[in-house]
Amino acid sequence: DQQVKQNSPSLSVQEGRISILNCDYTNSMFDYFLWYKKYPAEGPTFLISISSIKDKNEDGRFTVFLNKSAKHLSLHIVPSQPGDSAVYFCAASAWSGGSNYKLTFGKGTLLTVNP
Amino acid sequence: DSGVTQTPKHLITATGQRVTLRCSPRSGDLSVYWYQQSLDQGLQFLIQYYNGEERAKGNILERFSAQQFPDLHSELNLSSLELGDSALYFCASSAPPGGPVTDTQYFGPGTRLTVL
């Protein structure tokens, strides 16, 4: 049972426009959400995160929105740049005591930004 | 550069064999996590160590084991390898000593394992 779902395997956007990547989750115990970017042959790179006590977090061109009632989060990239072309993973965690922060990942969305 | 290193970068071996993957976390990070990424799959959590102790287990097979050493580096041992074990194996670290214990994990470049 997939607890974190990224239903769009791919997304294509024009340079300068907004990219919106979506993620849905089913586990109501998740209280921290993260987005990672991954280039081929590299490990995932942390982008931005949001705690469940917030509904928005912004960092430069990247904004993450969280809708707890809908169990949905999205990553907005504006303006999109060709260098943003990568696979984007949504991840969620639920504190399970002590220092346990297991991340549950979605399968990723391949973003292509066309010049 | 995340500061997490993994060796080797690539590993090709035969079915039935045993391999060891190595991970050095970011300087001082106490937590190490191992993930597996197979074709068309997201990252699957395998196991977590914190300061030398196992803290959480995910979908890790009994043929797989891991440990974290006093210098905080970690090794993932895969034995009786099968074709289906071919995947990318990532290590991540977090939790610098004295700092906040957060969920943000920093990933290494991965080890690509091919079982023939």
Side-chain angles (χ1 to χ4, degrees):
Chain A
D1 176 34
Q2 239 191 312
Q3 298 186 57
V4 177
K5 297 179 185 178
Q6 294 178 256
N7 291 319
S8 298
S10 63
L11 175 67
S12 186
V13 169
Q14 280 302 117
E15 180 178 5
R17 305 296 272 268
I18 185 170
S19 296
I20 300 176
L21 297 111
N22 294 302
C23 178
D24 297 294
Y25 62 96
T26 57
N27 187 343
S28 57
M29 299 300 291
F30 287 146
D31 58 7
Y32 199 77
F33 304 89
L34 307 91
W35 284 94
Y36 284 83
K37 177 169 76 171
K38 185 180 181 303
Y39 293 117
E42 294 183 14
T45 302
F46 170 71
L47 260 183
I48 193 169
S49 61
I50 188 167
S51 162
S52 61
I53 62 173
K54 294 185 175 182
D55 54 19
K56 177 183 174 181
N57 189 26
E58 205 169 342
D59 184 2
R61 296 185 299 114
F62 302 91
T63 303
V64 55
F65 295 91
L66 175 62
N67 181 335
K68 287 188 292 293
S69 60
K71 293 192 176 68
H72 176 84
L73 64 154
S74 60
L75 174 68
H76 292 210
I77 306 172
V78 55
S80 302
Q81 300 172 354
D84 296 329
S85 297
V87 177
Y88 288 77
F89 289 99
C90 169
S93 79
W95 186 73
S96 54
S99 55
N100 300 342
Y101 289 102
K102 179 187 81 168
L103 292 181
T104 302
F105 282 84
K107 291 192 177 183
T109 296
L110 173 63
L111 173 66
T112 303
V113 180
N114 302 301
Chain B
D1 184 359
S2 67
V4 179
T5 60
Q6 289 186 248
T7 56
K9 196 169 177 64
H10 299 280
L11 197 49
I12 301 174
T13 188
T15 54
Q17 295 298 304
R18 174 191 167 94
V19 297
T20 297
L21 314 184
R22 183 187 167 103
C23 168
S24 292
R26 291 189 317 163
S27 179
D29 274 359
L30 298 173
S31 256
V32 170
Y33 305 78
W34 286 97
Y35 291 85
Q36 179 193 57
Q37 184 183 22
S38 304
L39 196 65
D40 292 335
Q41 295 291 320
L43 291 106
Q44 302 288 321
F45 169 72
L46 294 178
I47 197 164
Q48 178 208 0
Y49 278 80
Y50 180 84
N51 205 18
E53 293 184 3
E54 181 186 305
R55 283 299 179 93
K57 256 184 174 178
N59 302 320
I60 188 166
L61 300 171
E62 285 192 13
R63 300 183 285 108
F64 296 1
S65 65
Q67 54 184 327
Q68 186 180 28
F69 295 86
D71 66 353
L72 301 176
H73 92 271
S74 177
E75 292 180 356
L76 179 67
N77 301 296
L78 315 176
S79 61
S80 303
L81 284 167
E82 302 175 359
L83 296 177
D85 298 327
S86 296
L88 273 167
Y89 291 85
F90 290 101
C91 164
S93 77
S94 71
V101 182
T102 71
D103 311 58
T104 303
Q105 298 174 18
Y106 297 89
F107 282 77
T111 293
R112 179 173 292 280
L113 173 66
T114 303
V115 183
L116 301 175

